[in-house]
Amino acid sequence: MTASPLDLPAAPLPAVRPSVALLTDRYELTMLQAALADGTAHRHCVFEVFTRRLPPGRRYGVLAGTGRVLEALPHFRFGDAELAYLERADVVDARTLDFLAGYRFTGSVSGYAEGEAFFPGSPVLQVEGSFAEAVLLETLVLSILNFDSAIASAASRMTSAAVDRPILEMGARRANEQAAVAAARAAVIAGFAGTSNLEAGMRYGLETIGTAAHAFTLLHDDERSAFESQVAALGKGTTLLVDTYDVRRGVETAVDVAGTGLGAVRLDSGDLGVQAVEVRKQLDDLGAHRTRIVVTSDLDEYAIAALAAAPVDVYGVGTSLVTGSGAPTCGMVYKLVAREDASGVLKPVAKASANKITSGGRKAAARRYGDDGRAVEEVLVIGPEELVSVWTPDGEDLRPLLVPLVVEGAVDSRWVGAYGVQNAVATHRHSRAELPRGARRLSAGDPALPTTELRLG
Amino acid sequence: MTASPLDLPAAPLPAVRPSVALLTDRYELTMLQAALADGTAHRHCVFEVFTRRLPPGRRYGVLAGTGRVLEALPHFRFGDAELAYLERADVVDARTLDFLAGYRFTGSVSGYAEGEAFFPGSPVLQVEGSFAEAVLLETLVLSILNFDSAIASAASRMTSAAVDRPILEMGARRANEQAAVAAARAAVIAGFAGTSNLEAGMRYGLETIGTAAHAFTLLHDDERSAFESQVAALGKGTTLLVDTYDVRRGVETAVDVAGTGLGAVRLDSGDLGVQAVEVRKQLDDLGAHRTRIVVTSDLDEYAIAALAAAPVDVYGVGTSLVTGSGAPTCGMVYKLVAREDASGVLKPVAKASANKITSGGRKAAARRYGDDGRAVEEVLVIGPEELVSVWTPDGEDLRPLLVPLVVEGAVDSRWVGAYGVQNAVATHRHSRAELPRGARRLSAGDPALPTTELRLG
């Protein structure tokens, strides 16, 4: 039931999805129209994606969605259907439609590796190009990163709480149908062992799991017929759902039908901790010592932690995963931090109103380590563009966090498709392991790493 | 800024989206395999979608997504790519692949009209057909209805709180990119006046809105240049964002550039109530009496209600809308309630374990009205299949709630595309208006209508 890299398709699936260009807020296009008219559209710009704060009490965030942004980029094209709509709905003028017809992103993107932990202020993505090219991507980039990272951040707490027991993602029915695919992907990045979602399995080479629902038992004249049918079709290694009528009789029938080699039984209701103990004893008494117990039913990271002492082998998680366990979106923003002025010099810019003060200028970022090899600080490197843009750390206690993802329009294929997911799984495992021990506590607290500034020049 | 039915395209857009058949939990297919092998796959079944409870404190739910289910149905097909994956990943056997290759839904679907209020137990969708045909749709149906209804239910509270002021949907960046389209559609069904989401505009004929972000001001050498550019491109009726640097100076510059005919100013930070008063006074002092004030910045239904006395003209809502304002999914389930037995008779069935007791058998549903014309009860009609399936109310105090949506595989086109949305808008307006007055209170409370049973025979 664990994902194996060997099962992955050799390359990302061919992308036959239609244009994603209209998954965009209207104002990106009206800003473009005005900027094309006044000549500023071609000013070179740097946009940064970051969050001002983590959800209340959370100690770290997990970046996910980067690979999906890169997969979407070649599909961000305005074809005949999109242009006809924009003209018919009078969204932008003819000059802008001409520009959109030829649009492709030729700029560059850097960012944290997908799966990396992030903290307030971490520049998880930097998009660089003309204003026209880069501003159009704002909505899509944020949609993907905010949702996927919310799911991965919740999922990481769950896999932390489960320690070595596998968790399976089963939340499709409680999420938008396409969001469910992204959620399955994000869950696996954060350590889930598999998903019930077939589209996610196909698209990203994820392990898929699933056996039967209560409807299957109810379809049959009795529970025994249903179990016999399932074992005949799927083998003795299957998982039988034993709580449709009476759990004790269900377990008895299950072992009677499948024998002591039955793969697993699933409990989907009631007091799971108490039932797991009873069912384990019953299975052992019946000689089914290796039959595993799968529990599902509104689990979240707290419920998983509470079951640590119960004889549970596998967790299935749905609703709380796909809704971010109380934090269904991240607060990531896509901010213009530097742009060319009339004389062609890249200048830092920042909104300075009310209480939203942010440093202007491009940032570099690094994680600082203590003597024990654990991370101690998230370091944002600021200062003059000509220094920040070429900064590399001068000591071994700093690990630079920004990696190139798109160079002059060319997407680095290591970050997309099934391989991208596998890379992200490894990145997350490593990134989480080096956080301070307190980072994995479920109780509310401050971010596990303070964000500090290193000013150059 | 309100949606006009006259602006709608004459028919739903051509659906060029690829197969949605793998947006499905694996166990739907493994159950199918076992049922095909044992002969029960062809048993006639009735599945019902309902929720056991509303989110804590909510007084009513709003059904949304029905039109999207119907739009997806013709695309629930297993093509070469899907079948090749299922074979390669060894999900099901050859017999099942053969069945899937020929799959199309030929059964029938009834349900509440989209936009209708619902309560615990309301059978918002009934799917009837062979087990094989109907079980496969479970995941997709629930994904769509649970997400879309969560958004519409939150949106309805917001439009209630806003009374006659328009609300604009701007949440795409805080939702999965495809979920954002569904959220925009659900928001409009519950009374939002428009959306920033262009894809939703194109697909469902929704009014789209949007002008400029802080990045546009920062792109320019100063605020005045940015405003001049925007007014030149979009006209004086545009909305200028005045809080990039200093609101007071921003408003002054805005009216100086656009004149007193300026359409609106937008405030996106700070204490919106206080600022709205100050800005209104400043606009009036400058003679810009008809310039409107748009406020955005983490609004939810409570913040909207708190601004009732402030001189605000339009609300923009993002995060709280697309995350269901604390209830990001509904708890709708897709349950087998009746199925043919070995002798060909349709028998009621129900899971009966732990504390999940549900009545078996197909239900009819109606809303009962009091003498003042307001709804007083949600009535579930239960009893023998032969009576329930043909039930009609015998008094004028009962309005039947189930309408035919799909008849023997043929989708009723009134419920899909832009017209479907317009119908749902009207349904919701009417449905909400006839709820008891207390239903629209924002404070936590019990469901506005009790669910009662009317037993036939």
Side-chain angles (χ1 to χ4, degrees), chain B residues 32-386:
Chain B
L32 171 64
Q33 174 176 325
L36 285 171
D38 74 16
T40 55
H42 301 292
R43 287 188 170 188
H44 192 79
C45 287
V46 181
F47 286 86
E48 273 183 8
V49 177
F50 61 93
T51 183
R52 295 191 178 88
R53 64 195 75 83
L54 299 177
R58 291 282 181 91
R59 293 160 188 260
Y60 63 98
V62 178
L63 177 66
T66 310
R68 293 210 308 118
V69 168
L70 301 184
E71 289 164 17
L73 208 49
H75 301 279
F76 201 97
R77 293 279 195 285
F78 295 83
D80 291 345
E82 291 76 33
L83 295 168
Y85 165 70
L86 294 174
E87 185 172 14
R88 188 173 78 237
D90 199 21
V91 173
V92 285
D93 63 10
R95 183 213 310 242
T96 308
L97 291 174
D98 276 353
F99 176 89
L100 295 176
Y103 178 83
R104 58 186 294 268
F105 183 73
T106 63
S108 294
V109 182
S110 301
Y112 282 30
E114 188 165 7
E116 188 67 78
F118 68 84
F119 299 91
S122 298
V124 295
L125 204 78
Q126 286 179 338
V127 179
E128 186 165 2
S130 71
F131 178 77
E133 284 196 16
V135 76
L136 290 185
L137 300 179
E138 177 182 29
T139 309
L140 183 62
V141 164
L142 289 178
S143 290
I144 293 175
L145 295 185
N146 272 325
F147 179 75
D148 291 23
S149 299
I151 304 307
S153 298
S156 179
R157 287 161 60 86
M158 296 173 188
T159 54
S160 247
V163 193
D164 292 327
R165 294 175 180 171
I167 314 185
L168 306 173
E169 191 281 313
M170 304 175 166
R173 63 192 56 198
R174 299 295 170 85
N176 168 276
E177 72 278 15
Q178 299 287 350
V181 180
R185 179 183 178 279
V188 168
I189 286 173
F192 274 51
T195 175
S196 62
N197 192 297
L198 290 168
E199 183 78 16
M202 174 169 162
R203 204 173 287 183
Y204 297 109
L206 311 183
E207 185 79 6
T208 63
I209 48 83
T211 50
H214 296 114
F216 184 76
T217 300
L218 295 173
L219 171 69
H220 289 81
D221 297 328
D222 52 47
E223 194 173 49
R224 175 174 294 268
S225 319
F227 288 176
E228 285 172 350
S229 170
Q230 186 177 326
V231 170
L234 305 176
K236 291 179 179 185
T238 194
T239 300
L240 292 172
L241 178 59
V242 293
D243 68 345
T244 303
Y245 302 109
D246 175 84
V247 172
R248 191 161 179 86
R249 255 177 301 166
V251 171
E252 194 177 302
T253 306
V255 177
D256 199 40
V257 166
T260 54
L262 174 63
V265 295
R266 178 159 78 96
L267 300 170
D268 185 44
S269 53
D271 183 331
L272 297 173
V274 171
Q275 280 197 65
V277 171
E278 292 170 356
V279 168
R280 180 73 270 156
K281 179 165 190 315
Q282 188 183 358
L283 286 169
D284 288 342
D285 290 348
L286 292 167
H289 300 287
R290 286 191 295 185
T291 299
R292 296 188 295 173
I293 298 177
V294 182
V295 296
T296 57
S297 184
D298 290 335
L299 296 179
D300 61 12
E301 62 267 46
Y302 304 102
I304 290 169
L307 288 167
V312 166
D313 299 286
V314 181
Y315 302 99
V317 177
T319 307
S320 69
L321 184 274
V322 299
T323 59
S325 198
T329 187
C330 293
M332 288 182 191
V333 293
Y334 184 95
K335 289 295 171 191
L336 181 64
V337 295
R339 55 100 181 122
E340 214 177 345
D341 66 12
S343 62
V345 177
L346 200 62
K347 288 280 179 66
V349 293
K351 177 173 182 294
S353 152
N355 51 4
K356 287 182 186 171
I357 306 295
T358 23
S359 302
R362 182 208 305 271
K363 290 168 207 67
R367 199 152 291 163
R368 190 187 299 280
Y369 297 84
D371 293 338
D372 63 353
R374 291 203 179 252
V376 294
E377 266 181 8
E378 186 82 341
V379 180
L380 305 187
V381 182
I382 58 174
E385 165 74 16
E386 63 276 15

Side-chain angles (χ1 to χ4, degrees), chain A residues 97-354:
Chain A
L97 291 174
D98 276 352
F99 176 89
L100 295 176
Y103 178 83
R104 58 186 294 269
F105 182 73
T106 62
S108 295
V109 181
S110 301
Y112 282 31
E114 188 167 7
E116 188 67 79
F118 68 84
F119 299 90
S122 298
V124 296
L125 204 78
Q126 286 179 338
V127 178
E128 187 166 359
S130 70
F131 178 77
E133 284 197 15
V135 76
L136 289 184
L137 301 178
E138 177 182 30
T139 309
L140 183 62
V141 164
L142 289 179
S143 290
I144 293 175
L145 295 185
N146 272 324
F147 180 76
D148 292 21
S149 300
I151 305 308
S153 299
S156 179
R157 287 161 61 85
M158 296 173 188
T159 54
S160 246
V163 193
D164 292 328
R165 294 175 179 171
I167 313 185
L168 305 173
E169 190 282 313
M170 304 175 166
R173 63 192 55 200
R174 300 293 171 86
N176 168 276
E177 71 278 15
Q178 299 288 349
V181 180
R185 179 183 179 280
V188 168
I189 287 173
F192 274 51
T195 175
S196 62
N197 191 297
L198 290 168
E199 182 76 18
M202 175 169 164
R203 204 174 286 183
Y204 297 109
L206 310 183
E207 186 78 6
T208 63
I209 48 81
T211 51
H214 296 113
F216 185 76
T217 300
L218 296 173
L219 170 69
H220 290 80
D221 296 330
D222 53 45
E223 193 172 49
R224 175 174 294 269
S225 318
F227 288 176
E228 285 171 351
S229 170
Q230 186 178 325
V231 169
L234 305 176
K236 293 179 177 185
T238 194
T239 300
L240 292 171
L241 178 58
V242 294
D243 68 346
T244 303
Y245 302 110
D246 174 83
V247 172
R248 190 162 180 85
R249 255 178 300 167
V251 171
E252 196 178 301
T253 307
V255 176
D256 199 39
V257 166
T260 55
L262 173 62
V265 294
R266 177 158 80 97
L267 301 170
D268 185 44
S269 52
D271 182 332
L272 297 173
V274 171
Q275 281 198 65
V277 170
E278 292 170 357
V279 169
R280 180 74 268 158
K281 181 168 188 316
Q282 188 183 358
L283 286 169
D284 288 342
D285 290 348
L286 292 167
H289 300 288
R290 286 189 296 185
T291 299
R292 296 188 296 172
I293 298 177
V294 182
V295 296
T296 57
S297 184
D298 290 335
L299 296 179
D300 61 12
E301 62 267 45
Y302 304 103
I304 289 169
L307 288 167
V312 166
D313 299 287
V314 180
Y315 302 100
V317 177
T319 308
S320 69
L321 184 274
V322 298
T323 59
S325 197
T329 187
C330 293
M332 287 183 192
V333 293
Y334 184 95
K335 288 296 171 191
L336 181 63
V337 295
R339 54 100 181 124
E340 213 177 347
D341 65 13
S343 62
V345 176
L346 200 62
K347 287 281 178 67
V349 293
K351 177 172 181 293
S353 153

Side-chain angles (χ1 to χ4, degrees), chain A residues 413-439:
Chain A
S413 63
R414 285 173 299 174
W415 307 104
V416 301
Y419 283 124
V421 171
Q422 284 301 310
N423 282 335
V425 169
T427 296
H428 181 62
R429 194 185 298 129
H430 184 253
S431 177
R432 187 173 69 180
E434 64 181 29
L435 292 180
R437 291 186 193 280

